[in-house]
Amino acid sequence: MANMEIAEQESSVVMMMTSPLPSLPSNEHLVFHERIGSLIKLSNNRRTAERRRPLDEFNNGVIMTNRPISDDQLFEIRLDRLVDKWSGSIEVGLTTHNPGNLDFPATMTNIRSGTIMMSGCGILTNGKGTRREYGEYNLDELMEGDRIGMIRKSNGCLHYYINGVDQGVASTETPKTAWAVVDLYGMAVKVTILDCLRPQTQPESVRGQRANNIIRQFRDTIFADELEDEQQRDRLTFHSNCANHCALTNGHMTAFRPNPLEDFNFGIAMTNRCLRANETFRVRLDSTVDKWSGSLEIGVTEHPPQDFEFPCTMTNMRSGTWMLSGSGIMHNGNPLNEDFASESQQFQQPDKLSKLKVGDVIGVTRREDGTLHFSLNDRELAIEAGNVPENVYGVIDIYGQASQASIVNDVDVCRNSHHVSSEDELRFHRRHGRNACISNGGRTAIRPNARGEFNDAILMSNRPLKDNELFEVMIENMVDRWSGSIEAGLTTIKPEDIEFPSTMTDIDFQTWMLSGSAIMQDGFTIKNTYTCDLDKLSLNSRIGMVRSVEGNLHFYINGEDMGVACYNIPQNVYAVIDLYGQCAQVSITSGGHVHMAVADHLHHGSAAHEARPRPTTNESLTQTPDSTNHRFSQRCGVNIALKNNASSAERTKSFNHGLVFSADPLKSGEMFEVRVERLASQWSGSLAIGLTSMISDNTAVDHLPSSASANDFNDFTSRPSSKTIWMVCDCQVKKNAGIICENYAPSLQRLQVGNLVGVKRGVDNTMHIYLNGRDLGVAACDIPKNVFAVIDVYGMVEAITVTSSPLKDMVSQLLEYSTPSHVIRSTSTESLQGDDHDNDNDKREGDKDTSVKSFIFHESHGKNIKLFNAGLTAQRMASYNEAIVFSNRHLQSNSVFQVKIDRLNENWSSSLMIGVVECCLVDVDQLPISAIDVTKKVCCILQADSVYYSGVKVKDYFGANMDTLAVGDVVGVSLDEDRQLHVYINGCDKGVAAKDVPPHCFAIIDLYGQCDQVTILTDEALSMPKTDSSFNSCEVSSKVECSDYREKVDSEDGMKEKMYESPLNDISRESSKCDYQSACERFKSLLGLPEAYFDSTHNRCYCEACYKLRGDELYYKRGDPLKDYAIPIGWCRFALRVHQRARVLNVFERWHVAFHGTRVEAVRRILDCGDLLMPGDTALGGFQLRPPVGHFDEKHKPDGFDIQQIFLSPTIKYSGQQVYAHKHEFKDPKTSKLLFGRIAFQVWVKPGSYKIGAQTIGANEQLDLQFDNSELEWSTKERGATILYGLLIKIE
């Protein structure tokens, strides 16, 4: 009886403890499901799971529960065993996939649907990171005995518990039916399910011991500042619980949206405690994106962050909230009274908030009298709110364009006020790899879990390096677990713009890294066996890097210069340190430990820079040519002797073994040229030249083939480890061992002493061979980056000398050419210093060029040209050609060189040509008869409506036609910061004509044909482009206009996102049609379509120039629900008159946009019917529509496929294929050219009326990057489910 009473008492206690929790819908205990990953074995009645062969395999350890977990039910496991071998560890989460039907993946993060996982310290949803830093624990750092639990609450929020401690909301939209899933990954080997109905907090002694272990491990590094400064514990940070699209980093001092280009809201973060009276909550805007409208919003709220259900934006809160946004102060979602509104209009603070820039600091303060004050950059705004209660939390909404913001504490403000020059001090940037931490005021960086993770610890300097400035770090901690060690280098990518990879050598753009002893550029190794090996550095070693004034990258080890690692490094580069492998901690030194040999060339401040003596102009002009020429690599054939500082190569014996390589890879548009110095008539055969991706410094001399035509060359190139070699031998072009072109050029066996032979890698990835400066044409295509010039000094050619220079050294020649002759001849010291001073001023002004009046024509010009009017006017005196003129100096970024057409001669055809050339051709005898014949230098020319690149036509139907210009028209060229060539007609930018144009280009004008006189415009107002009046008129609307008032939450999509390409507000009022649109109109006129079907006010051209001019996005959303569609790039739309039912059904906002390709002969019948036709339909006149050729038909179709449907697609790249939109040959009435035209319709389609399926035309590659091939084809059988909106035409 006593036992029964005790049992009843215990039962009652249990009932009392569990009464707040809801009863479980199933009495079945949670155990692991019998279907498991391939390496899992279960025991303990399926409550314990263990991964077999843990030292050999690290994945295939997925396990799931036997049933879905219930609301408010705790699922908790204990980590029983770890192995110290792999990186990464256990991952836990929920999935909607039934384990009875799931094909278990190697790791659960590979699942792309219905899955939420906690991995490390982040949250992954469907395999994609949604929270970079969640909670206070990292699963990869848990130890044996630690417990991991999770609860899906009845409100749909998912919470994780580590050792019983709630980590906050991980997800707010958790599926109702979901199975718990555990991935025994990496170090995690064994777990056991625990029986718990509520989280059990870890004993204080255990937590204290755990904290002591961590502090003991890093007591001298990451937590040193926090332990020494008690005030840090009370500082304002962001609370760990934040909105769904928000993540925290930098010790909860920084909040950001991980996917700012995909979402614009749910970016709310709150302070970790209430604001005190008169305490200011300051936030700095760190980064923005140029996509949405709206920006950072700040305020206070009475709602505590612990269990707060975050709305999409804080201005939607209807209680206890005051927010300052671009619309003013919002209290509980409503603007304050009219008196306040009038006051705010006087100050215009909403406009200021909508134009926040990176670096701006906004703040909010609650005063003791209950008033709320706002500030911008520490200047108080003339706005306030009253009656704000105590105990309010600071809150920010990282909304719209804002993507990241950081708290600025009073301590930081005071520190900055006492150290005005601290911004110039080199430190680590606040943005870094996910496994890195910054301490010691930005001077120290560590990888805390150095034994568990070996990468994802990239660090960058807080600002670009100055010329000759040393960035140096000291290695303070290393681990003996991994291979590899620290990596260092430079990059032009800003820290704010980079998405940090796992290691910096994965970056394939404008990055130079030293890894071990290998020099890597853009992810490719360009040089091995550098003079130092970073993998051999020990504790307390110092490594530094310098970009010299000449643009060379030097590395320094313990203060000693290791020599030039790379050439042609641009300015404004950031230092990069990768705490990789064994290297776990570094600190920035003062930079004083520099070898004496280079001490005079290094400085660390602007004062030192100004104190350096400035070289005179004469010194730069007397620089020897040998110091700027290309060099041969030290790796060469066994019979080769290099002389004259590796600028000459001589074969010392025999007739072969004479391969030589360029010392560095060629850049795009860079030519490597040699001169034949000596011939030996006793040998047959001659020189061969080409390109190779073989790394010359990594190839042993005795392993090189004897010649480019020998059998061992074929054997050499057929090795698996060999790279590709393209060679021109005699008159043949070879790729490795095979001949790809016969009779390419005159035989190289006819070379004579003094002949020049060169090879060039074009910007279009082609190989060109040059003979005595003449381009022999394209020899090979698809040439990769980082290729070396290779020359076979073979047969009768015994000695050669390099005559070419790297691209960077051409700049000094250009600058020399651009200086008038009287300045060069002058020896006046004052004038030289004055010119140098002006150049310095130009550099300080950046890219903005205000010296437009200094443009004149260069004294070097075509023989038929006469210059007058102080060099501002050029006139062709005879014939119709040989009238090329140049600008007297190179174009600076964003400056526009413009000329006005003074006179036309109707006796000739064609007209003016304009463009840029990389070098002013000083020798008049070298000038070709027309600009499109300039092939030796990089030259981009617009002739008529075609773009030529070094004599090769690369683009047709450009948005401007030079042959249609009239007297008085103004035409100009400009280079932007991205080295893109823009063409201007009468001040209006007609789009990008060419990309990747070399820097320091001169303007080139060809007074050809009808144009025989032009004058340079010196009006300073024309130095920058005018605003095209048609630009704003035809710009795509980014929001839906609403006449009635709607709350912010209702109109949010329309206001925040560039979502709609509005069909009703896209009236094009351009002053003149582009040539491509005119050509499309001529094709349309040949079809004989009645004009009554069309509404020309909504016509729109989507050629490359027009869509860029309008600033269109490539993809938009439309309909209810929203659906993506692609704008039809390369097509021209002729709008159709829309039936009245379209307005009744409100198709403009509710229906989706799609495209339907068709044949030319079906267009009139479709327009006559007023709707799309299905295969088998009979149109007016008895015409029966057949399935398109190449598509499924009755005889050739899968089982169950219905061909009697209307087929659509959200992208014209599918509907415009030959299967649907057949080519139709026609003769252009204006030009008499034979062209091809395609036809398609742009339609609205009713949501829910169509099915989405895979492509059915047999495409093997993805047709549109936005849409998978499995969702390209929409099909519908419903009549009236589509409405025709536009006729699309494409000319080829």
Side-chain angles (χ1 to χ4, degrees):
M1 291 293 293
N3 292 336
M4 293 180 62
E5 292 176 356
I6 293 175
E8 291 177 355
Q9 293 175 1
E10 291 178 349
S11 177
S12 63
V13 172
V14 172
M15 291 179 62
M16 291 175 61
M17 293 177 59
T18 61
S19 59
L21 296 175
S23 59
L24 300 180
S26 173
N27 293 325
E28 186 179 6
H29 286 287
L30 279 175
V31 295
F32 291 123
H33 197 277
E34 57 187 8
R35 293 195 73 245
I36 52 180
S38 60
L39 293 181
I40 290 293
K41 66 176 181 180
L42 300 178
S43 59
N44 189 20
N45 294 324
R46 302 212 313 259
R47 299 176 63 79
T48 298
E50 183 173 3
R51 193 179 80 240
R52 294 173 293 183
R53 306 204 316 271
L55 297 178
D56 299 325
E57 301 284 347
F58 61 89
N59 54 10
N60 288 303
V62 177
I63 41 181
M64 298 170 61
T65 54
N66 60 323
R67 62 170 176 81
I69 65 172
S70 306
D71 288 345
D72 298 312
Q73 179 184 11
L74 175 67
F75 170 76
E76 189 173 38
I77 58 174
R78 181 183 64 238
L79 193 54
D80 295 334
R81 182 186 171 199
L82 298 169
V83 293
D84 189 16
K85 180 175 182 180
W86 313 103
S87 63
S89 188
I90 190 170
E91 298 173 347
V92 182
L94 294 175
T95 182
T96 59
H97 296 278
N98 191 324
N101 304 324
L102 179 65
D103 185 9
F104 281 81
T107 174
M108 226 24 222
T109 53
N110 289 340
I111 296 293
R112 292 295 183 262
S113 62
T115 303
I116 303 172
M117 298 293 293
M118 180 176 180
S119 175
C121 59
I123 301 297
L124 301 176
T125 302
N126 301 330
K128 184 178 180 180
T130 54
R131 297 280 296 274
R132 180 177 295 183
E133 290 193 12
Y134 164 73
E136 300 176 357
Y137 288 84
N138 188 330
L139 296 189
D140 297 343
E141 299 175 4
L142 296 183
M143 297 182 293
E144 293 179 356
D146 285 338
R147 305 192 319 276
I148 310 165
M150 59 182 174
I151 293 179
R152 190 203 56 225
K153 296 191 176 182
S154 57
N155 60 4
C157 294
L158 176 64
H159 289 247
Y160 281 90
Y161 294 82
I162 307 298
N163 296 321
V165 179
D166 187 359
Q167 302 301 300
V169 176
S171 175
T172 58
E173 299 176 356
T174 309
K176 188 70 175 177
T177 302
W179 285 261
V181 58
V182 178
D183 193 347
L184 293 181
Y185 182 82
M187 296 185 292
V189 175
K190 184 178 180 180
V191 295
T192 298
I193 295 178
L194 302 178
D195 278 329
C196 291
L197 293 179
R198 60 174 65 248
Q200 301 294 321
T201 305
Q202 193 177 41
E204 188 67 29
S205 59
V206 177
R207 283 188 290 164
Q209 179 182 1
R210 180 181 182 83
N212 290 334
N213 290 338
I214 297 177
I215 294 175
R216 189 180 303 113
Q217 182 180 1
F218 298 108
R219 63 180 180 272
D220 297 328
T221 56
I222 186 170
F223 296 113
D225 293 341
E226 286 78 2
L227 295 176
E228 293 175 2
D229 190 0
E230 293 294 334
Q231 295 180 355
Q232 297 292 339
R233 299 179 180 178
D234 198 39
R235 71 186 310 184
L236 270 178
T237 63
F238 289 119
H239 195 274
S240 58
N241 188 26
C242 50
N244 193 33
H245 292 164
C246 184
L248 304 179
T249 186
N250 192 23
H252 290 191
M253 295 293 291
T254 299
F256 64 98
R257 293 202 321 273
N259 303 302
L261 294 177
E262 298 178 10
D263 49 65
F264 59 89
N265 53 11
F266 284 104
I268 301 168
M270 299 172 61
T271 56
N272 60 326
R273 60 171 174 82
C274 294
L275 300 182
R276 301 187 179 94
N278 299 322
E279 181 181 19
T280 301
F281 172 51
R282 293 184 181 88
V283 175
R284 179 184 62 243
L285 182 60
D286 293 334
S287 64
T288 59
V289 294
D290 187 16
K291 182 174 183 181
W292 319 103
S293 60
S295 188
L296 190 67
E297 300 174 353
I298 191 170
V300 296
T301 181
E302 295 181 89
H303 300 278
Q306 291 82 357
D307 298 315
F308 186 49
E309 295 186 9
F310 290 92
C312 60
T313 173
M314 277 303 289
T315 51
N316 286 341
M317 285 300 300
R318 295 298 182 259
S319 63
T321 302
W322 294 259
M323 295 295 296
L324 177 64
S325 68
S327 302
I329 295 184
M330 307 283 286
H331 177 43
N332 298 337
N334 297 312
L336 292 184
N337 56 44
E338 296 180 357
D339 294 338
F340 165 75
S342 61
E343 183 180 352
S344 65
Q345 288 174 1
Q346 295 176 1
F347 191 75
Q348 295 182 341
Q349 96 293 337
D351 181 62
K352 288 182 175 291
L353 285 189
S354 63
K355 297 180 180 179
L356 286 177
K357 304 182 297 296
V358 172
D360 284 344
V361 178
I362 58 175
V364 58
T365 306
R366 182 197 174 275
R367 302 279 173 84
E368 292 180 347
D369 58 0
T371 57
L372 196 65
H373 294 255
F374 296 92
S375 62
L376 176 60
N377 294 326
D378 292 329
R379 294 182 59 186
E380 187 167 321
L381 304 179
I383 54 175
E384 63 180 39
N387 301 320
V388 179
E390 296 180 354
N391 299 323
V392 291
Y393 294 82
V395 58
I396 64 169
D397 193 344
I398 305 175
Y399 185 77
Q401 294 181 355
S403 60
Q404 179 174 309
S406 296
I407 295 178
V408 181
N409 281 312
D410 290 336
V411 177
D412 301 326
V413 175
C414 295
R415 183 181 299 153
N416 292 335
S417 64
H418 287 85
H419 301 279
V420 178
S421 62
S422 63
E423 293 183 359
D424 198 51
E425 183 179 353
L426 278 173
R427 307 203 180 175
F428 290 120
H429 197 275
R430 60 182 177 274
R431 292 200 70 234
H432 47 72
R434 66 181 180 89
N435 289 335
C437 292
I438 305 295
S439 63
N440 189 24
R443 299 179 184 88
T444 299
I446 71 168
R447 198 173 77 243
N449 187 22
R451 292 189 173 273
E453 297 282 355
F454 62 89
N455 55 8
D456 284 311
I458 297 172
L459 308 142
M460 298 178 65
S461 59
N462 61 329
R463 61 168 175 81
L465 300 185
K466 303 172 184 176
D467 288 345
N468 291 339
E469 182 177 20
L470 175 68
F471 182 87
E472 187 182 56
V473 298
M474 176 181 289
I475 300 177
E476 296 181 334
N477 188 20
M478 303 184 73
V479 294
D480 56 356
R481 178 172 182 180
W482 315 102
S483 61
S485 189
I486 188 173
E487 298 176 349
L490 301 174
T491 182
T492 60
I493 308 175
K494 296 180 180 180
E496 297 86 355
D497 299 336
I498 191 172
E499 291 293 333
F500 287 101
S502 58
T503 175
M504 200 63 189
T505 52
D506 292 339
I507 295 291
D508 60 357
F509 175 74
Q510 291 290 296
T511 301
W512 300 262
M513 295 295 295
L514 175 59
S515 176
S517 61
I519 303 296
M520 304 186 70
Q521 178 180 346
D522 300 340
F524 293 92
T525 302
I526 61 173
K527 182 183 295 185
N528 277 318
T529 63
Y530 184 59
T531 50
C532 70
D533 189 345
L534 298 188
D535 294 344
K536 297 180 180 179
L537 296 183
S538 59
L539 203 63
N540 297 323
S541 295
R542 304 191 315 276
I543 175 173
M545 63 211 78
V546 170
R547 182 202 176 273
S548 67
V549 158
E550 295 80 12
N552 301 331
L553 170 60
H554 293 250
F555 286 97
Y556 292 81
I557 302 299
N558 296 322
E560 183 176 355
D561 187 359
M562 296 291 104
V564 177
C566 294
Y567 299 92
N568 306 324
I569 306 298
Q571 291 183 327
N572 298 319
V573 287
Y574 293 81
V576 179
I577 298 293
D578 194 344
L579 297 184
Y580 184 81
Q582 297 180 357
C583 182
Q585 178 177 327
V586 296
S587 287
I588 298 176
T589 69
S590 62
H593 306 285
V594 181
H595 195 266
M596 292 301 296
V598 295
D600 294 337
H601 301 285
L602 299 175
H603 65 280
H604 297 279
S606 59
H609 178 59
E610 295 297 333
R612 294 182 61 217
R614 182 180 291 123
T616 65
T617 305
N618 289 336
E619 292 175 349
S620 63
L621 293 176
T622 58
Q623 189 178 19
T624 62
D626 288 342
S627 64
T628 62
N629 281 357
H630 282 116
R631 296 284 183 268
F632 290 120
S633 171
Q634 296 298 323
R635 292 286 191 266
C636 52
V638 294
N639 290 340
I640 286 292
L642 299 180
K643 300 179 179 180
N644 299 329
N645 196 18
S647 63
S648 298
E650 178 181 352
R651 197 178 70 245
T652 57
K653 61 181 180 179
S654 188
F655 61 90
N656 56 6
H657 288 290
L659 285 177
V660 290
F661 304 88
S662 60
D664 297 296
L666 300 186
K667 295 183 176 297
S668 295
E670 184 175 9
M671 182 170 67
F672 188 89
E673 188 180 53
V674 297
R675 180 177 62 246
V676 178
E677 299 288 2
R678 190 172 74 243
L679 298 177
S681 58
Q682 68 268 29
W683 305 114
S684 62
S686 184
L687 173 146
I689 188 169
L691 298 172
T692 177
S693 57
M694 176 180 61
I695 305 302
S696 59
D697 287 344
N698 195 31
T699 307
V701 172
D702 54 357
H703 288 171
L704 291 175
S706 59
S707 74
S709 58
N711 291 331
D712 58 347
F713 178 83
N714 299 343
D715 297 337
F716 177 79
T717 56
S718 61
R719 298 173 188 170
S721 60
S722 179
K723 302 296 181 69
T724 308
I725 302 178
W726 298 263
M727 294 287 286
V728 175
C729 307
D730 193 1
C731 59
Q732 299 174 334
V733 182
K734 292 184 176 181
K735 180 179 180 181
N736 289 347
I739 298 175
I740 61 175
C741 181
E742 295 274 7
N743 300 319
Y744 161 70
S747 175
L748 296 183
Q749 296 194 26
R750 302 175 183 175
L751 291 177
Q752 300 295 321
V753 173
N755 285 163
L756 300 177
V757 186
V759 60
K760 179 178 181 179
R761 180 193 178 276
V763 295
D764 55 351
N765 302 328
T766 58
M767 181 177 80
H768 292 247
I769 303 298
Y770 288 78
L771 182 59
N772 294 323
R774 183 167 65 92
D775 187 358
L776 301 183
V778 176
C781 301
D782 299 325
I783 306 297
K785 292 182 179 180
N786 299 302
V787 288
F788 295 76
V790 54
I791 299 175
D792 188 1
V793 186
Y794 181 81
M796 64 178 183
V797 177
E798 284 192 336
I800 57 176
T801 297
V802 178
T803 61
S804 58
S805 301
L807 280 179
K808 94 176 175 59
D809 294 317
M810 292 181 182
V811 175
S812 61
Q813 295 178 355
L814 295 176
L815 294 176
E816 181 178 339
Y817 292 150
S818 65
T819 306
S821 57
H822 67 276
V823 177
I824 297 179
R825 288 192 295 268
S826 174
T827 57
S828 172
T829 306
E830 294 180 2
S831 63
L832 294 176
Q833 290 177 348
D835 292 341
D836 200 16
H837 178 69
D838 292 339
N839 291 335
D840 288 345
N841 289 337
D842 291 341
K843 294 179 182 178
R844 284 192 292 269
E845 287 291 327
D847 291 332
K848 183 177 180 181
D849 182 17
T850 58
S851 58
V852 179
K853 291 185 179 181
S854 65
F855 271 125
I856 59 174
F857 288 119
H858 198 279
E859 60 187 13
S860 175
H861 50 73
K863 70 176 185 179
N864 288 334
I865 284 292
K866 175 184 176 182
L867 300 180
F868 56 94
N869 187 22
L872 293 174
T873 301
Q875 181 181 356
R876 192 181 75 239
M877 304 299 296
S879 188
Y880 63 91
N881 56 8
E882 295 191 87
I884 296 176
V885 289
F886 305 93
S887 61
N888 67 315
R889 62 180 179 84
H890 66 271
L891 301 180
Q892 295 185 351
S893 295
N894 294 327
S895 66
V896 182
F897 176 85
Q898 298 188 101
V899 297
K900 183 182 69 174
I901 297 179
D902 297 332
R903 196 170 66 192
L904 294 176
N905 186 342
E906 300 295 338
N907 295 327
W908 306 107
S909 60
S910 297
S911 189
L912 174 142
M913 307 179 201
I914 190 169
V916 294
V917 62
E918 68 172 340
C919 180
C920 180
L921 304 178
V922 179
D923 189 353
V924 176
D925 295 332
Q926 294 182 359
L927 291 178
I929 61 175
S930 71
I932 60 175
D933 294 324
V934 178
T935 57
K936 188 173 181 180
K937 302 295 182 180
V938 174
C939 182
C940 302
I941 288 291
L942 181 62
Q943 189 268 330
D945 61 350
S946 300
V947 179
Y948 290 80
Y949 200 100
S950 298
V952 179
K953 184 187 290 188
V954 296
K955 185 182 296 185
D956 272 325
Y957 301 111
F958 183 67
N961 192 330
M962 298 294 102
D963 292 349
T964 61
L965 297 177
V967 173
D969 282 346
V970 177
V971 58
V973 290
S974 173
L975 293 177
D976 62 19
E977 296 89 344
D978 299 324
R979 291 170 33 214
Q980 299 182 116
L981 174 63
H982 293 251
V983 177
Y984 294 85
I985 303 295
N986 295 322
C988 300
D989 188 352
K990 295 302 180 181
V992 175
K995 300 180 180 180
D996 298 325
V997 178
H1000 300 90
C1001 282
F1002 289 74
I1004 178 173
I1005 304 286
D1006 190 351
L1007 277 66
Y1008 187 84
Q1010 294 183 355
C1011 181
D1012 62 8
Q1013 181 173 316
V1014 296
T1015 298
I1016 296 177
L1017 291 185
T1018 59
D1019 187 358
E1020 192 165 340
L1022 294 175
S1023 63
M1024 292 302 293
K1026 297 179 181 179
T1027 301
D1028 190 351
S1029 60
S1030 65
F1031 181 88
N1032 294 329
S1033 64
C1034 63
E1035 186 178 25
V1036 176
S1037 176
S1038 63
K1039 48 185 152 182
V1040 176
E1041 299 293 341
C1042 301
S1043 58
D1044 56 333
Y1045 171 80
R1046 292 191 294 174
E1047 291 185 351
K1048 182 177 181 179
V1049 65
D1050 298 327
S1051 60
E1052 180 178 278
D1053 291 335
M1055 291 195 301
K1056 302 285 177 133
E1057 188 176 358
K1058 283 187 176 179
M1059 185 174 295
Y1060 288 169
E1061 186 204 14
S1062 176
L1064 298 181
N1065 300 318
D1066 63 354
I1067 300 175
S1068 178
R1069 291 186 287 267
E1070 290 142 333
S1071 58
S1072 61
K1073 301 185 183 72
C1074 79
D1075 296 328
Y1076 182 74
Q1077 187 176 13
S1078 299
C1080 292
E1081 280 191 347
R1082 293 195 293 271
F1083 176 60
K1084 171 177 166 287
S1085 65
L1086 296 177
L1087 302 180
L1089 303 177
E1091 285 300 323
Y1093 286 138
F1094 296 93
D1095 180 6
S1096 61
T1097 58
H1098 299 293
N1099 291 351
R1100 172 158 294 183
C1101 181
Y1102 290 99
C1103 70
E1104 183 177 354
C1106 289
Y1107 101 86
K1108 289 183 178 179
L1109 179 65
R1110 290 191 300 267
D1112 291 351
E1113 300 286 343
L1114 292 177
Y1115 302 94
Y1116 288 89
K1117 298 178 184 290
R1118 174 159 324 264
D1120 185 13
L1122 292 172
K1123 200 76 172 177
D1124 287 329
Y1125 74 96
I1127 65 172
I1129 300 298
W1131 295 66
C1132 184
R1133 184 184 71 204
F1134 297 93
L1136 299 171
R1137 294 189 184 274
V1138 180
H1139 196 276
Q1140 189 63 32
R1141 70 187 182 98
R1143 301 183 182 275
V1144 175
L1145 297 175
N1146 195 17
V1147 299
F1148 311 116
E1149 294 188 6
R1150 296 186 178 277
W1151 286 27
H1152 296 153
V1153 174
F1155 303 94
H1156 174 83
T1158 188
R1159 298 190 298 271
V1160 169
E1161 57 267 23
V1163 173
R1164 176 62 185 271
R1165 295 177 175 90
I1166 292 176
L1167 292 177
D1168 290 342
C1169 294
D1171 203 351
L1172 297 179
L1173 302 176
M1174 300 183 187
D1177 284 350
T1178 301
L1180 295 176
F1183 173 80
Q1184 188 173 24
L1185 189 68
R1186 303 185 308 273
V1189 179
H1191 197 266
F1192 294 148
D1193 54 27
E1194 288 293 350
K1195 295 181 180 180
H1196 305 90
K1197 66 174 184 176
D1199 293 339
F1201 186 85
D1202 188 358
I1203 66 169
Q1204 289 189 329
Q1205 301 183 84
I1206 296 175
F1207 297 100
L1208 309 162
S1209 178
T1211 172
I1212 196 65
K1213 293 181 180 179
Y1214 181 72
S1215 295
Q1217 293 290 316
Q1218 176 68 15
V1219 174
Y1220 297 107
H1222 291 251
K1223 283 185 179 180
H1224 179 80
E1225 186 177 16
F1226 73 100
K1227 186 176 182 180
D1228 191 333
K1230 179 179 179 181
T1231 64
S1232 298
K1233 293 182 180 179
L1234 287 179
L1235 302 173
F1236 292 92
R1238 296 182 189 269
I1239 295 289
F1241 283 99
Q1242 185 174 5
V1243 303
W1244 286 304
V1245 56
K1246 183 180 179 182
S1249 66
Y1250 60 89
K1251 295 180 181 179
I1252 299 177
Q1255 58 88 17
T1256 56
I1257 63 174
N1260 296 321
E1261 298 179 354
Q1262 187 171 350
L1263 298 178
D1264 194 307
L1265 297 178
Q1266 182 76 3
F1267 305 97
D1268 191 83
N1269 280 4
S1270 63
E1271 56 183 5
L1272 280 182
E1273 187 169 280
W1274 297 357
S1275 58
T1276 179
K1277 292 180 68 68
E1278 294 188 19
R1279 302 285 185 181
T1282 60
I1283 294 179
L1284 302 177
Y1285 170 58
L1287 178 69
L1288 297 174
I1289 294 179
K1290 182 177 184 181
I1291 301 296
E1292 299 174 354

